[in-house]
Amino acid sequence: MVDEDTTFQLRMDRYGPDLLNGLTAAYGDAGPQLFERLTAIMRGAFAARGTDLKVLDEARLLSPDWVQRPGTIGYVCYADRFAGSLAGVADRIDHLKSLGVSYLHLMPLLRPREGENDGGYAVADYRSVDPRLGTMDDLTALATTLRRHDIALVVDLVLNHVAREHEWAVRARAGEQKYRDYFHIFGDRTMPDAYEQSLPEIFPDFAPGNFTWDEEAQGWVWTTFNSFQWDLNWANPDVFAEFADLLLFLANNGVEVFRLDAIAFTWKVLGTDCQNEPQVHELTQALRAVLRIVAPACALKAEAIVGPQDLIAYLGQGKHFGKVSDLAYHNSLMVQLWGALASRHTRLFEVALSNFPAKPANTTWGSYARCHDDIGWAVSDSDARGAYLEGHTHRAFLSEFYAGLYPGSFARGLVFQHNPVTNDRRISGSMASLAGLEAALHAGDQGQLSDAIARINLLHTAILGFGGVPLLYMGDEIGQLNDYSYVDDPEHASDNRWVHRPRMDWDAVAAADADPGTPSGRILAGLRHTIGVRKRLPQLHASIESRVLPSPDSRVLVLTRDHPEGTLIEVYNFSEDMVELPTYVLRSRLGDAAVEQISGYDYSLSPETLRIRPYQPLWLTAD
Ligand code: GLC
């Protein structure tokens, strides 16, 4: 038997240097002292960690690739909109299991401020649960139940800001210097004006500017997002110590993956856009080390919606290789999927993916087509040029297309945060409404309906096939449409992202289950089937990269995943056309005979062309 002290000491030997180096790089001379403080916090949390979680720690240490396996399927939902409450989520496990889910992200569930709270991203207390959803005991009970079903619970850890009503902010306003130092509060406009010179605006529409005058605090408070979300001062070691403690508290309550919300914004440097600063990665390295020492079963996921060159650092580059987040959102994939559907052209997709830096093999993308946020058209000017497009014009086209304004558009989306200075227009809307289902049902047109369902199937298949954790977004499995009733709720009316955050329609799920011939039934049955196929394909392990093969047809994307057990080639037709695809690209890698894994059919690749149906995906392996 290895005793607990030895286990702790071995982990300290392994990860202590990562912790100390991260802290020293961020905090200089204050680093070693903070390290001592954290050692005491970690010892306490390690002693308090439950036996079943310690067993999970040991199991995960034996399977460090647990999140990378093809069997990992993610699902994202709001506990209340999905099942009423945390306890209710446990009653819906059957539905999750029917989709093969093993990773469940419940949207913000810690106690938010009253009233408007940015969908829970304005947290007033990280140690208690939103009373409308349940209690911390309910959260622990749910995590335990999920774990018994091999489902890992994923929870947001909002790092960049707290609610104005959080105790730290309350005490700052009451004049306690210790807590004023947790935030960025300025007595006059000198510094805010200086920072604003180089800061972008995140919510230009409903929260213009990055600073808010607070009468009680007698100062300008840094508020990147809404005025009620106060940015934290991570340059203060006390803030780090608080969050290390919170992280371990939540890990000991059963959270297995932490979504590090808005992590890119946590370190501010005058004269920059205050995103992706190198210190952000030092802090993540230190947080990860804390987690590996006490709770190695847990993983970190970076929510950094930034450009590819900046994004890759969140999975570890240079000296942070293998030392920061385990997962990150592949925002670019999402943008390119929608871009290719609108333009029926895959050249930009090819260019963007080809220019995308490779990630460390032990890290994992979260691949998704829709989530709770809007879609920002993150297409770089240089990628656009590589596809013979003009970046600005193409982004404007995508906004117009998905707002349903472009002639012939199948999409029904809403413009989110129009910035008149940059003319940037982000888009809200559910997967089904953006993919044409809403318009097709409205028109009562069978052809349009088939195309819309095929687009949804294409999107789901592409995220399942990319190699990462596919993140299914609540309601998309039955093609739920935009929910325009958000305007009736005063807490939501000004934020049209609520149009794609509907309540789960369980009657529709039952109907889809009962009749696989309805639109919802077709979507659900197709998705379940493809998930089953994904789970048995070793090529979809996330350690392998999806690489672009130059496509012989501009409407079709061809990806290859080269695995020691054989190559998988994925073919996606992004148009409503029947395409005769020249087979030489496929033949050169797979030979004359292939198996299409989704249908299970044998394909001969000896003919010069292969017929691909509108929006059809193919996953081909050598026979
Ligand atoms: C993240 C969330 C988004 C929220 C923002 C501020 O981007 O996904 O919903 O508004 O952070 O917390």
Side-chain angles (χ1 to χ4, degrees):
M1 267 297 266
V2 178
D3 64 68
E4 299 257 293
D5 280 348
T6 309
T7 302
F8 187 78
Q9 196 50 53
L10 284 170
R11 293 191 198 157
M12 281 297 278
D13 292 347
R14 166 66 181 82
Y15 289 106
D18 286 358
L19 176 56
L20 183 60
N21 291 340
L23 295 176
T24 308
Y27 300 116
D29 291 346
Q33 206 191 341
L34 179 56
F35 178 83
E36 294 308 321
R37 247 171 104 186
L38 293 170
T39 305
I41 292 174
M42 290 188 296
R43 254 186 214 294
F46 182 71
R49 191 158 169 84
T51 307
D52 56 339
L53 292 174
K54 284 189 168 160
V55 171
L56 185 70
D57 290 335
E58 295 305 319
R60 293 261 163 88
L61 287 170
L62 294 172
S63 304
D65 68 338
W66 66 279
V67 92
Q68 298 198 289
R69 298 183 174 184
T72 308
I73 304 290
Y75 191 90
V76 184
C77 64
Y78 289 85
D80 55 341
R81 302 193 150 237
F82 182 70
S85 65
L86 290 179
V89 172
D91 299 332
R92 297 296 185 184
I93 287 181
D94 283 352
H95 178 67
L96 299 173
K97 292 306 276 184
S98 81
L99 290 164
V101 170
S102 59
Y103 166 116
L104 178 65
H105 175 199
L106 293 180
M107 295 297 294
L109 48 75
L110 301 177
R111 188 166 70 74
R113 74 193 289 269
E114 306 270 315
E116 263 189 88
N117 57 39
D118 190 20
Y121 285 103
V123 180
D125 181 8
Y126 291 78
R127 289 181 194 272
S128 67
V129 163
D130 184 341
R132 287 164 293 200
L133 302 177
T135 63
M136 194 48 82
D137 286 343
D138 293 334
L139 183 70
T140 308
L142 175 62
T144 308
T145 308
L146 291 171
R147 199 172 320 117
R148 289 202 188 106
H149 286 89
D150 292 320
I151 300 176
L153 176 63
V154 185
V155 164
D156 283 273
L157 189 65
V158 184
L159 295 178
N160 178 65
H161 43 263
V162 296
R164 184 177 180 272
E165 291 69 19
H166 189 286
E167 189 198 341
W168 303 335
V170 172
R171 295 178 76 166
R173 283 199 297 285
E176 284 186 56
Q177 193 56 44
K178 173 175 160 72
Y179 290 101
R180 280 184 82 93
D181 293 344
Y182 277 34
F183 301 97
H184 304 272
I185 306 176
F186 305 97
D188 60 36
R189 280 298 304 183
T190 316
M191 288 311 290
D193 286 343
Y195 278 111
E196 285 286 14
Q197 297 290 318
S198 52
L199 283 177
E201 294 211 60
I202 305 303
F203 291 152
D205 193 352
F206 48 57
N210 288 280
F211 300 86
T212 304
W213 173 257
D214 194 285
E215 198 52 40
E216 281 177 54
Q218 277 301 298
W220 290 93
V221 181
W222 199 313
T223 55
T224 300
F225 294 86
N226 290 289
S227 57
F228 51 78
Q229 289 164 301
W230 283 27
D231 285 39
L232 287 158
N233 177 12
W234 277 85
N236 178 352
D238 288 346
V239 170
F240 188 96
E242 297 273 13
F243 271 90
D245 199 23
L246 288 172
L247 185 70
L248 297 178
F249 166 78
L250 293 168
N252 280 355
N253 276 287
V255 176
E256 295 182 28
V257 181
F258 293 90
R259 175 186 181 277
L260 303 177
D261 180 71
I263 185 174
F265 298 87
T266 46
W267 198 274
K268 327 285 192 198
V269 177
L270 188 64
T272 72
D273 64 357
C274 296
Q275 289 184 50
N276 316 309
E277 290 301 321
Q279 286 85 349
V280 172
H281 308 301
E282 307 293 357
L283 298 178
T284 319
Q285 172 175 320
L287 282 177
R288 179 183 192 260
V290 165
L291 206 53
R292 287 291 197 267
I293 290 166
V294 177
C298 297
L300 294 179
K301 167 159 154 196
E303 191 252 343
I305 308 304
V306 300
Q309 300 305 328
D310 290 320
L311 177 57
I312 205 71
Y314 290 84
L315 292 177
Q317 280 218 309
K319 66 174 175 161
H320 297 121
F321 177 75
K323 295 185 177 159
V324 285
S325 289
D326 305 279
L327 298 126
Y329 285 92
H330 202 314
N331 178 57
S332 180
L333 174 70
M334 187 267 296
V335 167
Q336 295 302 332
L337 287 168
W338 290 105
L341 279 178
S343 55
R344 282 82 161 172
H345 207 286
T346 59
R347 173 79 189 147
L348 179 59
F349 205 146
E350 290 186 349
V351 171
L353 273 191
S354 304
N355 288 341
F356 215 90
K359 64 169 183 54
N362 63 343
T363 62
T364 307
W365 292 122
S367 44
Y368 64 112
R370 280 310 284 121
C371 70
H372 71 290
D373 277 328
D374 51 288
I375 306 177
W377 301 112
V379 170
S380 77
D381 289 341
S382 66
D383 282 353
R385 272 193 299 277
Y388 312 109
L389 295 165
E390 203 277 312
H392 187 264
T393 318
H394 190 63
R395 290 188 293 269
F397 158 70
L398 292 172
S399 296
E400 269 154 45
F401 190 92
Y402 283 107
L405 303 172
Y406 194 83
S409 167
F410 49 71
R412 293 291 176 269
L414 301 176
V415 171
F416 179 70
Q417 303 295 324
H418 180 199
N419 185 334
V421 180
T422 57
N423 200 29
D424 200 19
R425 283 168 293 172
R426 286 138 66 185
I427 293 289
S428 292
S430 76
M431 174 188 277
S433 289
L434 295 180
L437 192 60
E438 187 174 329
L441 289 170
H442 193 246
D445 180 306
Q446 287 305 314
Q448 284 181 32
L449 195 64
S450 288
D451 281 346
I453 293 169
R455 283 185 208 107
I456 293 169
N457 180 49
L458 177 80
L459 291 166
H460 276 144
T461 307
I463 63 169
L464 288 167
F466 194 72
V469 181
L471 300 168
L472 307 173
Y473 182 62
M474 182 184 100
D476 288 348
E477 70 269 44
I478 49 164
Q480 270 189 244
L481 304 178
N482 283 345
D483 171 11
Y484 297 101
S485 72
Y486 76 95
V487 293
D488 301 331
D489 183 337
E491 281 177 29
H492 298 161
S494 67
D495 184 342
N496 70 24
R497 289 176 297 175
W498 288 97
V499 84
H500 55 253
R501 299 171 181 173
R503 287 183 189 286
M504 189 72 183
D505 185 346
W506 290 107
D507 291 339
V509 175
D513 270 328
D515 184 357
T518 61
S520 296
R522 284 158 72 184
I523 294 167
L524 185 60
L527 177 61
R528 283 191 183 133
H529 172 75
T530 314
I531 288 170
V533 175
R534 167 183 152 111
K535 288 197 173 215
R536 53 177 174 70
L537 287 177
Q539 291 90 345
L540 291 171
H541 193 281
S543 57
I544 307 283
E545 290 277 332
S546 281
R547 289 188 301 108
V548 170
L549 292 181
S551 174
D553 187 294
S554 63
R555 295 162 292 185
V556 174
L557 181 75
V558 185
L559 301 176
T560 182
R561 298 182 60 79
D562 300 323
H563 188 275
E565 289 182 52
T567 292
L568 171 71
I569 293 193
E570 304 181 11
V571 178
Y572 299 100
N573 178 1
F574 278 89
S575 75
E576 54 270 84
D577 305 336
M578 192 73 89
V579 172
E580 294 286 343
L581 186 76
T583 42
Y584 62 87
V585 184
L586 310 176
R587 201 166 45 235
S588 68
R589 300 195 161 236
L590 299 175
D592 280 347
V595 179
E596 200 289 299
Q597 294 288 342
I598 302 172
S599 61
Y601 292 157
D602 291 335
Y603 273 52
S604 168
L605 300 179
S606 0
E608 281 311 302
T609 63
L610 181 66
R611 173 167 289 202
I612 308 182
R613 292 196 308 273
Y615 300 115
Q616 188 179 14
L618 300 173
W619 288 356
L620 299 161
T621 57
D623 194 358

